Amino acid sequence: MTPDQRQQFFERLQAANPHPGTELHYHNTFQLLMAVMLSAQSTDRRVNQVTQPLFEQLKTPADVLALGLPALESALRQLGLYRTKARHVYATAQILEQHHGGLVPATREALQALPGVGRKTANVVLNVAFGQPTMAVDTHIFRVANRTGLAPGKTVLAVETTLLQVIPPSFLNHAHHWLILHGRYICRARKPDCGLCPVMDLCATGGSLV
DNA sequence: ATCCCGAGGG
DNA sequence: CCCTCTGGAT
């Protein structure tokens, strides 16, 4: 894809979603971190169903510790990987309480040192909560980048590096959500809706997946 | 490479 | 039944 095509690509995704943002529900940075941790291999729709009642009680790491691990695990039962997620969220709350004054750290190093927080989750928090121009490559973005030819790569890190190089700077801050929304609703994994795709003429598949 | 692991869609 | 969903740890 040429630089001009990439410019077109994001201009059209922007036109389709003028004010993109995460579809995860949260009221503060700690809840954002928790919601992103819970979103692994789960639809954010289900994450929101789980967090909607839960976040009325859990507003701080101390609230998580007060709830206790067994009750937390029980509250997360509807999510896949729920035992692992409960353990990680609880252990993360402990560390935030003991070493970060109950706050979510704003550096990649400190974030990825938290149990259950890897590069992708750290990138989301750094971008959404702290406004940094990171590129969190999730299942949607990995697929869209490869399928369209925007940023082909065999690993998520390779795709992340390429995306940071090829995305026009003015689009970088919101590129994460534009690519996610495109992958979630149009460039779907199983049955992509090329008929509704605003960038079909720029795509490496040329709409041949329909 | 494998495990974790519920729910929805096809 | 199989595939997929804003992954991370071992």
Side-chain angles (χ1 to χ4, degrees), chain A residues 161-172:
Chain A
T161 302
T162 304
L163 282 173
L164 287 172
Q165 292 170 347
V166 301
I167 294 173
S170 62
F171 295 104
L172 192 52

Side-chain angles (χ1 to χ4, degrees), chain A residues 139-154:
Chain A
T139 181
H140 293 302
I141 296 183
F142 186 78
R143 177 180 66 253
V144 171
N146 274 294
R147 184 184 277 171
T148 61
L150 172 67
K154 293 176 182 174

Side-chain angles (χ1 to χ4, degrees), chain A residues 77-198:
Chain A
R77 254 175 319 187
Q78 293 180 301
L79 295 171
L81 318 179
Y82 71 97
R83 280 191 285 261
T84 305
K85 289 175 181 175
R87 196 160 19 88
H88 285 162
V89 166
Y90 190 81
T92 285
Q94 286 182 313
I95 294 175
L96 294 182
E97 197 60 18
Q98 292 172 5
H99 300 293
H100 298 284
L103 300 176
V104 176
T107 66
R108 171 185 306 288
E109 294 71 26
L111 283 168
Q112 291 189 202
L114 301 169
V117 179
R119 187 176 184 88
K120 180 259 172 181
T121 298
N123 277 334
V124 173
V125 172
L126 288 171
N127 181 338
V128 175
F130 300 112
Q132 295 188 33
T134 60
M135 259 305 313
V137 177
D138 61 10
T139 181
H140 293 302
I141 296 183
F142 186 78
R143 177 180 66 253
V144 171
N146 274 294
R147 184 184 277 171
T148 61
L150 172 67
K154 293 176 182 174
T155 68
V156 291
L157 188 57
V159 169
E160 175 184 332
T161 302
T162 304
L163 282 173
L164 287 172
Q165 292 170 347
V166 301
I167 294 173
S170 62
F171 295 104
L172 192 52
N173 260 22
H174 296 294
H176 170 68
H177 289 123
W178 280 318
L179 292 171
I180 290 243
L181 293 170
H182 184 62
R184 179 176 299 163
Y185 296 114
I186 296 178
C187 195
R188 297 183 294 245
R190 203 180 290 199
K191 190 184 170 191
D193 197 347
C194 299
L196 283 181
C197 181

Side-chain angles (χ1 to χ4, degrees), chain A residues 1-73:
Chain A
M1 210 178 286
T2 68
D4 184 63
Q5 287 176 317
R6 296 195 286 263
Q7 177 77 19
Q8 286 290 319
F9 187 94
F10 283 100
E11 282 184 3
R12 294 187 206 169
L13 293 191
Q14 178 179 37
N17 271 294
H19 303 291
T22 178
E23 295 188 341
L24 293 170
H25 297 163
Y26 63 97
H27 300 100
N28 58 46
T29 304
F30 172 66
Q31 290 186 343
L32 170 66
L33 171 62
M34 189 169 157
V36 177
M37 291 175 72
L38 298 182
S39 71
Q41 301 293 283
S42 303
T43 61
D44 61 351
R45 190 165 162 181
R46 181 144 306 276
V47 172
N48 289 334
Q49 287 177 9
V50 168
T51 57
Q52 181 176 6
L54 197 58
F55 279 175
E56 294 178 14
Q57 306 174 307
L58 305 181
K59 302 181 187 308
T60 69
D63 293 337
V64 173
L65 301 182
L67 180 62
L69 182 52
L72 178 62
E73 182 175 306

